[in-house]
Amino acid sequence: MRRIAAGALAVAAVLTPAAARADTPYAQASAMVEADGSVARSEHVTDAWHPRRGTYCVTVDDTVDLTGPIAFHATVAGQYDHPRSLSVELDSSACGYHAERTIAVFSRLAYGSPADAGFYLTVS
């Protein structure tokens, strides 16, 4: 019984996106970005924009160390008719050539076509 309860708690912890609260204790930055590119909640994020369908740009402040090992995690937020997949790229030209400290998040449908989606982003 204890194993079942412990397993259920572990699964609940994994499935509950901490970035939804934007108070991730071990992340350097976090944000909840809406499908239109607006930021609902964030920590250590200075700007976000949506330059084109399926592309989002999120800029982090100077307190975020982007020089060492970095882990990015992006999770789709919301329900859509077709599943989305997200990929992340640091200092991407998709956000402009002077987009230092900017993280590009790309949202795609299963067959590769760009599609808008809200998402949670954490930088650890």
Side-chain angles (χ1 to χ4, degrees), residues 60-95:
V60 296
D61 67 25
D62 292 335
T63 64
V64 180
D65 181 11
L66 299 175
T67 60
I70 309 163
F72 298 102
H73 182 78
T75 304
V76 175
Q79 295 181 346
Y80 302 96
D81 292 340
H82 302 285
R84 267 70 166 152
S85 64
L86 300 176
S87 61
V88 179
E89 185 178 351
L90 181 61
D91 298 333
S92 173
S93 62
C95 296

Side-chain angles (χ1 to χ4, degrees), residues 24-105:
T24 51
Y26 300 107
Q28 296 188 71
S30 61
M32 169 40 193
V33 179
E34 302 287 349
D36 65 0
S38 63
V39 177
R41 291 174 297 280
S42 70
E43 285 187 26
H44 303 290
V45 170
T46 59
D47 196 11
W49 67 98
H50 180 44
R52 65 189 147 279
R53 184 180 192 109
T55 301
Y56 299 86
C57 300
V58 179
T59 302
V60 296
D61 67 25
D62 292 335
T63 64
V64 180
D65 181 11
L66 299 175
T67 60
I70 309 163
F72 298 102
H73 182 78
T75 304
V76 175
Q79 295 181 346
Y80 302 96
D81 292 340
H82 302 285
R84 267 70 166 152
S85 64
L86 300 176
S87 61
V88 179
E89 185 178 351
L90 181 61
D91 298 333
S92 173
S93 62
C95 296
Y97 288 103
H98 299 290
E100 292 137 4
R101 308 196 61 75
T102 300
I103 301 154
V105 178

